[in-house]
Amino acid sequence: MAHGELRLELDGRIPVDAKVLAAMEKMPNLSNLTRKFHPRGFFGFRGLFQRVKQPDGRIEEKFRHQLSVEEGEIKYDLVPIPFHSLYGSIVITELGTRFQGFRGLNVNSESFAEGTWDPVNGLRLTIDSYDLELNDSLKSALPPAAIRFWNDLRPSGTLEAVRSSIHAIPGRPIDFDFQLRHREGRNSVSVHPVWFPYEMKNVSAQISFQPNHFQIRSFKGQHRKSTLTLEGQGEY
């Protein structure tokens, strides 16, 4: 049986369209994952396909494809925040997929992402976002318990940083960890809690959300000469 290697490289950019998504159906697991991101934009492609003869005479097939994403747009079903001006690379092998060096924008917020995917362990994705406007788009992407927390605090302004860690194993509920951070002296953030009669300004905070748990590591806000501090945790 023939063995050897084949290298492919496409000159120019390819639009992400229905034809490209249809061609991915030959890899159904990866195709299903890709469709959850609702991708648009362009990509470059280069690939390596190998048929390696083993000592026992078997032929082992290996491949490594690299897609360079340019001017992309995505909106992931599990974290439905739209990103545009997206650049990064996707490396696909017979063992799984790596997402490397992704960088994109949501309005004026800049985000960076890395991740992996394989059929057994599913998707692991980490997104670091900076200078996020506290708007309805961000609110709608949060889990229900975090949305209730948001409605209780009624925040406004621009948040310094959010780290979103997502683990989606096929057939299991999604696991996530959202870490929110805002330091005093950064862009202004204020809250007007429903359970407190005054608006608190110059807020600093560190808050985390997991599927069944939240933790307020620190929270401080000011109203005139008064300072409100909070710490605590709970389940939902």
Side-chain angles (χ1 to χ4, degrees):
M1 187 177 291
H3 56 88
E5 68 177 36
L6 178 66
R7 296 179 181 272
L8 304 171
E9 185 166 358
L10 295 179
D11 185 20
R13 305 189 307 173
I14 304 170
V16 179
D17 56 19
K19 292 181 180 179
V20 169
L21 296 177
M24 293 185 65
E25 296 295 342
K26 295 178 181 179
M27 297 182 286
N29 289 330
L30 185 58
S31 173
N32 291 338
L33 175 66
T34 301
R35 290 182 182 277
K36 290 180 181 180
F37 282 88
H38 307 282
R40 298 176 61 186
F42 301 88
F43 69 92
F45 175 84
R46 61 182 176 180
L48 171 65
F49 181 77
Q50 296 175 309
R51 293 172 61 90
V52 182
K53 189 174 182 178
Q54 302 300 314
D56 61 3
R58 291 182 301 106
I59 299 296
E60 182 176 322
E61 293 186 351
K62 297 183 178 182
F63 62 88
R64 186 182 191 275
H65 304 325
Q66 181 166 342
L67 284 67
S68 300
V69 178
E70 302 178 12
E71 299 179 25
E73 298 178 22
I74 61 168
K75 187 175 182 180
Y76 183 35
D77 286 346
L78 299 180
V79 185
I81 300 175
F83 292 98
H84 63 91
S85 303
L86 191 69
Y87 291 81
S89 65
I90 303 171
V91 178
I92 306 169
T93 72
E94 71 279 359
L95 300 177
T97 301
R98 295 198 313 272
F99 304 90
Q100 302 177 158
F102 270 86
R103 175 181 178 181
L105 299 175
N106 170 253
V107 190
N108 294 321
S109 168
E110 191 168 31
S111 295
F112 302 85
E114 302 276 345
T116 61
W117 174 87
D118 66 68
V120 176
N121 298 302
L123 176 69
R124 290 183 181 272
L125 186 64
T126 300
I127 305 171
D128 289 303
S129 302
Y130 302 93
D131 297 325
L132 282 88
E133 182 181 346
L134 294 167
N135 55 27
D136 288 340
S137 175
L138 176 61
K139 175 182 173 181
S140 66
L142 296 173
I147 291 176
R148 291 195 294 270
F149 191 83
W150 180 302
N151 290 337
D152 286 344
L153 284 181
R154 294 186 292 184
S156 61
T158 302
L159 191 64
E160 177 186 359
V162 174
R163 166 164 283 194
S164 306
S165 301
I166 301 163
H167 189 193
I169 300 176
R172 298 187 188 180
I174 183 174
D175 187 19
F176 61 82
D177 181 15
F178 294 158
Q179 303 280 342
L180 284 64
R181 183 187 79 229
H182 191 82
R183 292 175 294 181
E184 189 174 1
R186 298 284 296 184
N187 296 325
S188 177
V189 169
S190 62
V191 299
H192 195 170
V194 296
W195 38 262
F196 194 72
Y198 302 111
E199 181 183 26
M200 308 303 297
K201 299 183 178 180
N202 300 321
V203 167
S204 62
Q206 284 188 301
I207 304 172
S208 63
F209 295 94
Q210 293 83 33
N212 300 306
H213 181 264
F214 71 89
Q215 183 173 8
I216 305 173
R217 302 178 187 276
S218 66
F219 182 96
K220 183 171 71 172
Q222 295 178 334
H223 176 73
R224 296 182 180 176
K225 295 183 179 181
S226 299
T227 300
L228 172 70
T229 60
L230 292 173
E231 288 185 8
Q233 59 183 337
E235 298 181 353
Y236 43 78

